[in-house]
């Protein structure tokens, strides 16, 4: 259904009336590109949550984004790494496995779609921001380092 809707709306400046099969003209939908893209993102995020889970895994042995990317084929959806002390406090790095994001989005959108790369990047950025903000909030409330937070969650499958 998304493919059909997207084809109907491709090139629409902001919104377009779409008459779905069996609908009367009065019941036609007005759907913007932003709404369709948001639906793709939400569907992909739901897929990622169902298939991979959204719980990050802490890796003490990763020291750079390059190292994460090199090991990406064996990495979870979200990894936290590079925990280290800085003058302003404890720092860490979250990374999102772009291979898994791309594979999930391919379930709903073709790779040649002009939206594909931008939507992959946006989904990854949303997951990274959510992970970072959640860790900062949890660390602030508990006083725990990210590695301690994830060690406590390791035995809890649904955490």
């Amino acid at each position: 259904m998304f493919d059909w809707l997207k084809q109907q709306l491709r090139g629409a400046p902001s919104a377009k009336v779409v008459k779905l099969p069996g609908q009367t003209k009065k019941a036609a939908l007005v759907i913007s590109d932003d709404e369709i893209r948001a639906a793709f993102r939400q569907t992909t995020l739901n897929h990622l949550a169902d298939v991979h889970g959204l719980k990050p895994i802490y890796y003490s042995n990763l020291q750079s984004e390059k190292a994460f990317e090199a090991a990406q084929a064996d990495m979870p959806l979200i990894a936290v790494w590079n925990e280290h002390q800085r003058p302003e406090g404890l720092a860490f790095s979250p990374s999102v496995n772009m291979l898994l994001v791309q594979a999930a989005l391919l379930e709903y959108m073709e790779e040649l779609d002009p939206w594909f790369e931008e939507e992959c990047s946006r989904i990854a950025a949303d997951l990274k921001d959510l992970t970072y903000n959640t860790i900062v909030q949890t660390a602030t409330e508990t006083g725990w380092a990210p590695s301690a937070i994830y060690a406590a969650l390791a035995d809890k499958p649904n955490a």
Side-chain angles (χ1 to χ4, degrees), residues 82-93 132:
N82 194 26
E83 181 180 284
H84 61 281
Q85 200 59 38
R86 302 183 91 182
E88 54 277 355
L90 192 61
F92 63 94
S93 301
Y132 181 83

Side-chain angles (χ1 to χ4, degrees), residues 97 102 154 157:
N97 189 328
Q102 290 170 340

Side-chain angles (χ1 to χ4, degrees), residues 27-50:
L29 300 172
V30 177
I31 303 173
S32 70
D33 280 359
D34 289 343
E35 290 171 312
I36 291 174
R37 291 173 83 158
F40 275 118
R41 280 191 306 278
Q42 188 59 56
T43 302
T44 303
L45 285 167
N46 291 344
H47 176 89
L48 288 166
D50 291 345

Side-chain angles (χ1 to χ4, degrees), residues 25-102:
K25 205 172 194 177
K26 286 184 179 181
L29 300 172
V30 177
I31 303 173
S32 70
D33 280 359
D34 289 343
E35 290 171 312
I36 291 174
R37 291 173 83 158
F40 275 118
R41 280 191 306 278
Q42 188 59 56
T43 302
T44 303
L45 285 167
N46 291 344
H47 176 89
L48 288 166
D50 291 345
V51 174
H52 301 286
L54 299 178
K55 182 171 74 170
I57 307 290
Y58 180 77
Y59 287 86
S60 60
N61 59 338
L62 286 176
Q63 296 303 315
S64 70
E65 187 69 31
K66 238 180 197 175
F68 175 81
E69 289 171 5
Q72 206 166 187
D74 299 318
M75 287 290 165
L77 176 61
I78 305 168
V80 175
W81 52 277
N82 194 26
E83 181 180 284
H84 61 281
Q85 200 59 38
R86 302 183 91 182
E88 54 277 355
L90 192 61
F92 63 94
S93 301
S95 291
V96 174
N97 189 328
M98 190 58 93
L99 297 176
L100 296 178
V101 172
Q102 290 170 340

Side-chain angles (χ1 to χ4, degrees), residues 76-148:
L77 176 61
I78 305 168
V80 175
W81 52 277
N82 194 26
E83 181 180 284
H84 61 281
Q85 200 59 38
R86 302 183 91 182
E88 54 277 355
L90 192 61
F92 63 94
S93 301
S95 291
V96 174
N97 189 328
M98 190 58 93
L99 297 176
L100 296 178
V101 172
Q102 290 170 340
L105 188 56
L106 280 170
E107 295 287 323
Y108 310 102
M109 181 183 288
E110 293 179 8
E111 191 170 7
L112 297 175
D113 190 294
W115 293 347
F116 187 80
E117 287 300 320
E118 186 179 337
E119 291 307 314
C120 279
S121 296
R122 187 160 176 189
I123 291 165
D126 288 349
L127 287 169
K128 191 173 186 176
D129 289 346
L130 177 65
T131 300
Y132 181 83
N133 292 333
T134 301
I135 293 171
V136 168
Q137 180 180 352
T138 304
T140 301
E141 290 173 4
T142 63
W144 293 4
S147 56

